[in-house]
Amino acid sequence: MAANRTFTMIKPDAFEAGNSGAILKMIEEAGFKIVAMKATQLTPELAGKFYEVHKERPFYADLCAYMSSGPIIAAILEKDNAVEDFRKLIGATNPADAAEGTIRKIFAKSIEANAVHGSDSDENAAIEGSFYFSQAERVG
Ligand code: ATP
Ligand code: MG
């Protein structure tokens, strides 16, 4: 996947609350193009695989249960400087620390149920995009 791409999930809390449309609107208005997108639901095993990097953290089991608790939207997004700009748009992990106007400040319920995921590097964006989408399922 090209370096001008990132990967996002609208997490179960935001999906359940009916905030997917509002969040996607903010993403598009910030200049991101949707390259691939689907609604889906992770199993606890797949959530564990996705967040494997956190497997030693105390919140890992809760995180896997939460991320598999309901539907999500997974998407690949394209923009110059996508990874860094998207992290700015979503705000800090803990909504209490997130800047005004960021997606997490507006929509997140807690440090765990924090509305959206955003890749933290170009390398992880490519890995995470490929976790959900085959070549045939995305634009380019
Ligand atoms: P994400 O990877 O989902 O974009 P992030 O990069 O801001 O989030 P990470 O440190 O990668 O934060 O943590 C992954 C996810 O684990 C967080 O988004 C949140 O859902 C959950 N999480 C992180 N820290 C905690 C914590 N202290 N307690 C509970 N859940 C947490
Ligand atoms: Mg992360």
Side-chain angles (χ1 to χ4, degrees), residues 39-137:
T40 184
Q41 184 164 351
L42 292 166
T43 62
E45 292 71 26
L46 282 172
K49 201 172 158 208
F50 186 89
Y51 279 113
E52 200 161 17
V53 62
H54 294 309
K55 67 173 183 290
E56 307 302 335
R57 308 280 288 276
F59 57 81
Y60 180 67
D62 278 353
L63 176 61
C64 296
Y66 157 64
M67 284 302 297
S68 57
S69 67
I72 61 161
I73 288 174
I76 297 173
L77 305 171
E78 191 167 274
K79 182 184 183 297
D80 287 349
N81 205 32
V83 166
E84 192 185 338
D85 286 2
F86 193 71
R87 297 286 296 196
K88 277 195 199 130
L89 178 66
I90 68 178
T93 308
N94 187 346
D97 302 330
E100 289 299 329
T102 59
I103 291 174
R104 282 171 169 164
K105 185 69 173 185
I106 297 167
F107 296 107
K109 295 187 164 48
S110 68
I111 190 170
E112 178 180 78
N114 60 2
V116 281
H117 165 81
S119 303
D120 60 11
S121 66
D122 289 343
E123 187 192 1
N124 284 336
I127 292 168
E128 292 169 1
S130 301
F131 182 90
Y132 281 97
F133 299 102
S134 71
Q135 180 76 57
E137 290 174 313

